[in-house]
Amino acid sequence: MMRLFDSDLDVQMPMLSQLDPNLEGGRYGTDMQVDKKPIDWQPDDDTSNGYSNSNGSNPNGSKGHNGSSNHPGGNGNSGKVALASENPDSLDLSEKPAPEVEETTHGFWPVLKNRNFLALWSGQVFSQLADKVYLVLMIALIASRFQSEGQTISGWVSSIMIAFTIPAVLFGSVAGVYVDRWSKKTVLVATNLLRGGLVLILPPLLWISQGWSPFAGLPIGFYMLLGITFLVSTLTQFFAPAEQAVIPLIVERKHLLSANSLYTTTMMASVIIGFAVGEPLLQLADRLVAWLSGNLDIGKEVIVGASYAIAGLLLLLLKTGEKGDHLEQQEPPHVWQDIKDGLRYLGQQGRVRAALIQLVVLFSIFAALAVLAVRLAEIMPAIKSSQFGFLLAAGGIGMGIGATILGYFGQRFSRAQLALCGSIGMSASLAAIPLFAWELVPTLLMLVAMGGFAAIVGIPMQTAIQEETPEEMRGKVFGLQNNAVNIALSLPLALAGVAETLFGLQVVFVGLAVMAIAGGTLTWYISREGSPKTPQ
């Protein structure tokens, strides 16, 4: 899609406004500030410099224009003609009806018909499941190989979690810098195949290290688990920003909200399914592989490694429209300078910054809930403290429901409206939870509602970042987002328990409710003018 910059606006806007007054603010009406950004801005399919695809095709299968005056190989058409070709219905004065708009722009079906998004989503299903079951695998290996009888497993698992968290803090922003310069498809495929390979080499490594003398009181095999976990997490830091950056390349802007809703629904489903059926799935894989191979105890590693590998192979079907020669011609990244560029961009773009702050607040609340859920389960007569997962699963179910509803009806509202309404709903749900803290069913209902409202906050904010960020900045921005979110996940894990001990459960939940409403109000304040809407 062609991008028209400020130099084009002075010439083209009067004529366009005469044809259709709705175009004076761009395709999105008064929500778009024409003096600050392009009309009908959408990242180009295969470049990062604002030029359009010379062959007039997009990777998602929709035809574009044949060229532009800015394209070295274009046909010299003016920006006015290119924009007319992009919006034929907007410039058609015959008042022809546009049938079945709802069926073609709302819901999950339009994005699932997109073969490139279908490939990405299919890869996400296997990759997300592998991520969640990987932690279950580590716990199973520790329990079967390293934990002594009568010894608590908490210390072992904490070490694994630390090894998983450190790369997120160290490499989140750096990975985004490289993602901007590398082929997104290559990053997605390579990171999954490499993660699968790392998991599959665990059995021979653990077999070789048997009988080796412990180091600092710990078995050598456990150090190998820590090393593999560190490497898997490091690769994940490259995978995450590449996955987010590729969605706007393959999905039309009007379908971004539905695409992100499906993405979030799948992610939450993988959390619930991965943690709920991870252990029986690993046991089934062990029995099956043992039966096929003659009692080899490698089934758990095979199923997780194979899931990563399948994800990588499915992503080979993805076509992002990126040009290889353009990527090869880019100079090597100046890491710290590029990170500064990303921070400077966030400083200049209020709506992107507000959306990022909102996501950080959202993930901070969920991290605190992960700790507080243990305390809730402890004081509830109906469940044991070890069953706190039921409470977290209720929040995940709510997010899945909210994401599904948003995919079908969210296009009718602006991003800022959704964020504010979702924040108000989250705040009310959080404040109500301690009122029913001793009753299981009302608490579960409040957590489901809180999860649903959280989806109404998080998905539009992620979509807004994708819409507002130009292609050449997406890796940096999503890398910084990944870094900020991981820090936001870490701090509440340490502070929520202490705060609950000092101030009590009700005060902490009220504090979280205040955080939720403050984040929504901030986003509404910054975005009340020019908040993007999805075209109808």
Side-chain angles (χ1 to χ4, degrees):
M1 184 173 289
M2 182 175 180
R3 301 167 63 185
L4 298 182
F5 294 91
D6 293 343
S7 60
D8 298 307
L9 295 179
D10 298 335
V11 177
Q12 304 300 337
M13 287 308 299
M15 182 173 295
L16 291 175
S17 61
Q18 292 171 10
L19 291 174
D20 188 343
N22 292 328
L23 290 175
E24 186 159 354
R27 183 176 178 179
Y28 301 96
T30 58
D31 287 330
M32 190 68 71
Q33 298 178 1
V34 299
D35 58 334
K36 292 183 179 180
K37 60 184 302 179
I39 295 178
D40 193 21
W41 179 86
Q42 181 173 347
D44 297 310
D45 297 319
D46 53 359
T47 66
S48 59
N49 57 9
Y51 293 159
S52 62
N53 192 348
S54 61
N55 61 10
S57 62
N58 295 328
N60 61 16
S62 61
K63 287 187 178 182
H65 50 83
N66 295 327
S68 74
S69 57
N70 290 333
H71 197 301
N75 60 7
N77 290 341
S78 67
K80 177 175 64 178
V81 174
L83 184 60
S85 67
E86 288 287 77
N87 296 279
D89 292 335
S90 298
L91 301 182
D92 188 0
L93 303 181
S94 61
E95 300 183 356
K96 295 180 181 179
E100 300 181 354
V101 173
E102 292 290 327
E103 296 180 7
T104 58
T105 61
H106 295 173
F108 294 152
W109 181 240
V111 292
L112 288 176
K113 289 193 298 183
N114 181 335
R115 293 183 179 180
N116 288 308
F117 182 81
L118 185 60
L120 179 66
W121 178 67
S122 301
Q124 182 210 1
V125 170
F126 284 94
S127 181
Q128 291 279 356
L129 281 174
D131 280 340
K132 306 307 176 289
V133 179
Y134 178 87
L135 295 177
V136 181
L137 169 64
M138 292 296 105
I139 295 173
L141 291 176
I142 290 169
S144 62
R145 295 176 180 268
F146 305 115
Q147 183 185 14
S148 303
E149 185 176 353
Q151 182 186 28
T152 178
I153 200 173
S154 300
W156 300 93
V157 176
S158 296
S159 299
I160 292 291
M161 295 303 295
I162 291 172
F164 209 88
T165 303
I166 290 175
V169 177
L170 293 180
F171 307 131
S173 299
V174 176
V177 170
Y178 285 92
V179 165
D180 270 338
R181 285 170 164 76
W182 293 344
S183 163
K184 310 297 186 296
K185 175 181 176 179
T186 301
V187 173
L188 293 173
V189 172
T191 51
N192 276 293
L193 293 179
L194 288 172
R195 286 187 293 179
L198 287 170
V199 175
L200 291 174
I201 65 172
L202 269 174
L205 288 177
L206 294 175
W207 180 77
I208 292 172
S209 64
Q210 285 181 344
W212 289 10
S213 301
F215 178 77
L218 293 175
I220 299 298
F222 182 68
Y223 286 110
M224 292 183 176
L225 286 189
L226 292 176
I228 294 295
T229 299
F230 183 89
L231 293 175
V232 167
S233 179
T234 299
L235 290 168
T236 301
Q237 307 318 307
F238 289 86
F239 175 81
E243 187 177 34
Q244 286 294 331
V246 84
I247 292 177
L249 294 178
I250 61 176
V251 176
E252 295 181 44
R253 180 167 180 155
K254 63 183 178 181
H255 293 147
L256 274 179
L257 188 65
S258 296
N260 281 298
S261 299
L262 183 58
Y263 175 89
T264 302
T265 302
T266 305
M267 181 178 66
M268 297 315 302
S270 70
V271 171
I272 298 169
I273 296 173
F275 289 135
V277 306
E279 185 176 4
L281 179 65
L282 294 179
Q283 292 176 352
L284 177 63
D286 257 346
R287 289 195 292 269
L288 180 60
V289 173
W291 178 71
L292 292 174
S293 62
N295 295 324
L296 284 178
D297 186 20
I298 60 173
K300 295 186 291 292
E301 295 88 342
V302 168
I303 190 66
V304 177
S307 295
Y308 278 127
I310 291 172
L313 295 175
L314 287 171
L315 289 167
L316 285 172
L317 303 174
L318 182 66
K319 296 180 180 179
T320 64
E322 297 173 287
K323 286 185 177 179
D325 55 352
H326 170 72
L327 295 169
E328 292 172 1
Q329 291 171 5
Q330 295 194 63
E331 62 179 14
H334 307 287
V335 176
W336 300 117
Q337 183 59 46
D338 285 352
I339 291 175
K340 290 180 181 178
D341 290 343
L343 291 171
R344 188 180 302 113
Y345 175 81
L346 289 175
Q348 296 170 349
Q349 301 296 322
R351 289 184 292 189
V352 177
R353 184 173 66 253
L356 183 58
I357 292 172
Q358 181 84 68
L359 289 175
V360 169
V361 170
L362 182 64
F363 281 99
S364 297
I365 291 173
F366 269 98
L369 279 176
V371 177
L372 298 175
V374 180
R375 176 59 178 161
L376 281 173
E378 187 178 13
I379 65 177
M380 283 184 183
I383 59 175
K384 303 175 182 177
S385 59
S386 59
Q387 296 176 312
F388 71 95
F390 286 111
L391 303 177
L392 297 179
I397 291 171
M399 285 199 74
I401 295 172
T404 302
I405 294 173
L406 198 63
Y408 282 90
F409 304 107
Q411 294 90 343
R412 302 177 182 182
F413 308 96
S414 73
R415 309 288 182 254
Q417 288 173 331
L418 291 170
L420 182 61
C421 293
S423 297
I424 293 172
M426 277 189 68
S427 181
S429 302
L430 288 167
I433 286 174
L435 301 178
F436 307 101
W438 288 266
E439 300 292 334
L440 177 60
V441 174
T443 301
L444 289 175
L445 292 176
M446 288 299 101
L447 287 169
V448 170
M450 190 274 302
F453 286 117
I456 295 175
V457 174
I459 295 171
M461 292 300 95
Q462 187 66 61
T463 304
I465 295 175
Q466 292 172 345
E467 289 174 336
E468 299 290 322
T469 306
E471 181 182 340
E472 65 271 14
M473 294 297 298
R474 285 184 189 142
K476 302 180 188 69
V477 170
F478 290 130
L480 290 168
Q481 174 189 327
N482 194 33
N483 209 346
V485 164
N486 280 292
I487 294 173
L489 289 171
S490 302
L491 291 178
L493 290 175
L495 299 177
V498 176
E500 189 276 328
T501 302
L502 294 176
F503 305 111
L505 200 62
Q506 186 169 2
V507 173
V508 175
F509 270 103
V510 170
L512 294 178
V514 172
M515 285 178 58
I517 197 67
T521 304
L522 174 66
T523 302
W524 172 262
Y525 176 77
I526 294 177
S527 305
R528 69 187 190 279
E529 294 182 0
S531 179
K533 297 178 183 177
T534 301
Q536 300 299 313

